[in-house]
């Protein structure tokens, strides 16, 4: 998506590195088949995630290891989609074991609550990165809260660093050719 048509080059570069997760209410509330799930994930994550691809075999593995519940009648609902989006972000910086632990912490009060919190935290981190004012302080002494905050921060910072490096490579290549 070329944002430079509506914004300056600096703003376009910042938006290119950004990750915007849909709000819970914007996730489809009808069951989706696997191909539709993969398409939704690609549209959500491309080009923001360098390792954002989610394949059919990955989804099947997530079901097999119980990171996400089994689909109902081969259809994936809003909870499946929210879990897949959280996995897609967290796997950028964390092991799958750590991702599982993070999901358990996030979704202790339910997937909707966990996803809403996760999306809000990702959004806050993205805005802080755009402004160059990332605050690493954590307002809680709880190890769980610290783990959640630092895990999401690590994933978002990894995503941002990789996208900025890709932009730098493109700029350097353009400078060599131009």
């Amino acid at each position: 998506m070329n944002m430079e048509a509506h914004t300056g080059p600096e703003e376009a570069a910042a938006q290119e590195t950004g990750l915007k997760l849909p709000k819970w209410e914007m996730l489809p509330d009808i069951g989706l088949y696997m191909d539709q799930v993969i398409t939704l994930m690609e549209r959500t994550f491309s080009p923001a995630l360098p390792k954002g691809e989610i394949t059919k075999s990955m989804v099947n593995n997530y079901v097999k290891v119980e990171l996400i519940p089994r689909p109902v009648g081969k259809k994936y609902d809003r909870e499946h989609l929210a879990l897949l989006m959280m996995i897609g972000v967290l796997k950028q910086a964390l092991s799958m074991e750590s991702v599982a632990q993070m999901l358990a912490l996030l979704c202790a009060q339910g997937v909707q609550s966990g996803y809403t919190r996760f999306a809000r935290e990702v959004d806050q981190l993205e805005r802080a990165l755009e402004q160059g004012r990332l605050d690493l302080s954590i307002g809680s002494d709880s190890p769980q809260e610290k783990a959640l905050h630092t895990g999401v921060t690590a994933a978002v910072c990894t995503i941002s660093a990789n996208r900025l490096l890709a932009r730098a490579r493109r700029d350097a290549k353009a400078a060599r050719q131009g």
Side-chain angles (χ1 to χ4, degrees):
M1 176 161 79
N2 184 357
M3 301 299 257
E4 289 189 27
H6 298 14
T7 61
E10 294 84 14
E11 290 170 333
Q15 289 173 348
E16 179 181 289
T17 62
L19 172 64
K20 186 71 175 156
L21 296 176
K23 292 187 183 312
W24 173 264
E25 299 78 25
M26 298 307 293
L27 295 173
D29 62 354
I30 58 170
L32 300 179
Y33 289 105
M34 177 71 82
D35 288 341
Q36 295 168 311
V37 169
I38 299 304
T39 299
L40 177 66
M41 294 297 126
E42 287 173 356
R43 287 183 181 165
T44 300
F45 291 144
S46 182
L49 297 187
K51 296 188 288 186
E53 71 281 349
I54 293 183
T55 65
K56 293 177 186 182
S57 58
M58 291 168 112
V59 173
N60 289 331
N61 281 338
Y62 298 155
V63 170
K64 192 180 297 184
V65 299
E66 299 179 355
L67 268 179
I68 64 172
R70 293 201 172 286
V72 178
K74 295 188 179 186
K75 289 188 177 181
Y76 296 83
D77 62 21
R78 191 178 271 172
E79 286 191 5
H80 291 102
L81 300 175
L83 289 165
L84 287 169
M85 289 196 185
M86 289 187 284
I87 291 167
V89 172
L90 292 170
K91 77 176 187 172
Q92 303 300 308
L94 302 174
S95 69
M96 290 313 289
E97 181 181 330
S98 294
V99 169
Q101 291 174 329
M102 293 288 274
L103 290 176
L105 289 172
L106 278 164
C107 299
Q109 304 298 319
V111 175
Q112 180 177 356
S113 172
Y115 177 78
T116 300
R117 178 180 178 191
F118 180 81
R120 184 175 47 243
E121 182 133 358
V122 167
D123 186 55
Q124 289 170 352
L125 287 165
E126 286 289 341
R127 281 188 275 125
L129 284 169
E130 285 174 16
Q131 297 169 0
R133 298 191 174 160
L134 184 61
D135 181 8
L136 298 176
S137 63
I138 302 167
S140 171
D141 289 332
S142 159
Q144 292 87 355
E145 289 301 313
K146 287 180 180 180
L148 285 171
H149 181 71
T150 56
V152 175
T153 300
V156 172
C157 286
T158 299
I159 292 162
S160 181
N162 284 323
R163 297 302 301 158
L164 289 167
L165 287 169
R167 174 69 183 229
R169 284 191 302 271
R170 284 193 306 274
D171 290 352
K173 182 178 178 182
R176 284 191 306 271
Q177 293 174 346

